[in-house]
């Protein structure tokens, strides 16, 4: 592994700093209450105001599309994730991710507005670092955002997206996804088929399957397979994952995963294999989440030499569902 003593020390310090930050944020506030909110919980006030804004905006869109004032519970949300990836070569890559789902219940929940970052990533089957597809530079330039209207066809277990990738010139796209859930004995199986077409990036088809089974009350074993064909590249991408989910309690979860990435047509070649540990902790109420992910990656471009990386991130969730303190799964 290409990791000198200086780099290793820096990574260790960063890890200890983040864990200390996690512990500090998770401590109960000790200052006196001011109108029911602790002085140390100023972020809770900001979060409440932002969540109420998301709710009001969603209700306004619901009334616009349906022609009726919304009196139903609002389940719209915004997820904002920020962090960085640190490697054993001394490089760091900050990233920013945004996902917004606006539900419109007065349309019988058939219409939704979806805004995503990293929308120009046509497949997840070739991603080595899940979090780094969207960088601060790309977000600032508006190169990765998409906005789409989603039509949900519950009877078919399908949704249809029509939207625009924010680029210059604007890049329209359409996307169709079908999902099937099955149970066989103790196994839960999910299948998903996707068809998508971007004006500038071409046409593609994707298939994913995932099977999970509980081993104990807090351990779940699973495996997944994904394949994507892109007509512009005229090739297939494949991904196989084996993972173990460990739910320590409502606030702490760990995922152990081994992944193999391949590409090629007709015979796939091994591109990468990697193993990682993802530790996720709910830091405050049910809307502030921290993650630490150490990962070892072996790429064919690097003669499969091991490369260590550490991903640190914080996720903030906004919306009516996150105004309470209960943990939602």
């Amino acid at each position: 592994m290409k990791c000198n003593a200086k780099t290793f020390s820096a990574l260790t310090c960063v890890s200890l700093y983040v864990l200390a930050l996690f512990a500090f944020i998770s401590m109960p506030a000790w200052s006196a209450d001011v109108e029911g909110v602790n002085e140390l919980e100023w972020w809770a006030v900001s979060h409440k105001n932002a969540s109420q804004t998301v709710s009001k905006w969603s209700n306004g869109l619901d009334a616009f599309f349906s022609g009726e004032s919304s009196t139903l519970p609002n389940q719209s949300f915004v997820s904002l994730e920020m962090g960085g990836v640190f490697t054993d070569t001394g490089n760091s890559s900050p990233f920013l991710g945004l996902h917004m789902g606006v539900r419109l219940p007065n349309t019988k929940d058939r219409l939704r507005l979806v805004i995503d970052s990293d929308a120009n990533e046509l497949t997840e089957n070739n991603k080595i670092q899940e979090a780094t597809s969207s960088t601060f530079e790309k977000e600032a330039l508006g190169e990765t955002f998409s906005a789409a209207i989603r039509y949900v066809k519950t009877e078919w277990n399908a949704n249809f997206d029509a939207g625009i990738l924010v680029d210059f010139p604007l890049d329209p796209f359409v996307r169709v996804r079908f999902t099937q859930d099955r149970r066989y004995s103790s196994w839960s199986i999910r299948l998903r088929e996707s068809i998508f077409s971007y004006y500038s990036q071409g046409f593609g088809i994707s298939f994913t399957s995932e099977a999970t089974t509980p081993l104990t009350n807090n351990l779940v074993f699973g495996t997944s397979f994904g394949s994507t064909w892109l007509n512009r590249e005229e090739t297939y991408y494949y991904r196989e994952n084996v993972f173990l989910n460990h739910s320590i309690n409502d606030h702490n979860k760990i995922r152990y995963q081994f992944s193999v990435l391949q590409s090629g047509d007709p015979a796939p070649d091994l591109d990468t294999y990697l193993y990682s540990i993802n530790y996720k902790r709910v830091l405050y109420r049910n809307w502030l989440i921290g993650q630490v992910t150490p990962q070892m990656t072996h790429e064919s471009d690097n003669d499969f030499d091991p490369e260590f990386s550490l991903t640190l991130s914080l996720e903030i969730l906004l919306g009516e569902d996150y105004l309470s303190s209960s943990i939602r799964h």
Side-chain angles (χ1 to χ4, degrees), residues 20 30 46 57 59 68-69 83 86 117 128 145 147 158 163 175 190 216 245-246 262-263 269-270 299 306 313 324 328:
W30 47 266
S46 301
W57 186 51
N59 288 335
E68 302 176 12
S69 298
F86 305 87
S117 59
I128 297 175
F145 279 103
R175 195 166 46 202
R190 166 162 287 191
T216 65
N245 291 333
H246 183 195
Q262 299 170 290
S263 66
D269 297 318
L270 176 62
E299 294 186 77
S313 69
S324 67
R328 298 176 184 267

Side-chain angles (χ1 to χ4, degrees), residues 2 16 28 44 56 58 73-74 76-77 111 121 132 140 185 210 232 251 258 270 281 284 287 290 294-295 298 305 311:
K2 299 177 180 179
L16 293 175
K56 291 178 182 178
S58 174
N74 189 298
S76 299
F77 72 94
L111 287 182
E121 298 290 331
T132 58
S185 184
E210 180 176 283
R232 286 283 178 90
H251 289 79
F258 174 74
L270 176 62
R281 178 178 174 83
Y284 187 79
W287 55 262
Q295 176 174 303
H298 302 257
D305 289 339
T311 303

Side-chain angles (χ1 to χ4, degrees), residues 37 62 93 113 138 140 160 192 197 199 202 233-234 244 261 307 318 322 325:
V37 178
D62 191 19
S93 302
L113 175 64
K138 288 183 178 180
F160 304 83
R192 171 170 286 179
S197 179
Y199 177 78
E233 301 179 18
E234 296 185 348
L244 182 67
L261 285 67
E307 298 179 339
L318 305 172
Y322 304 102
S325 60

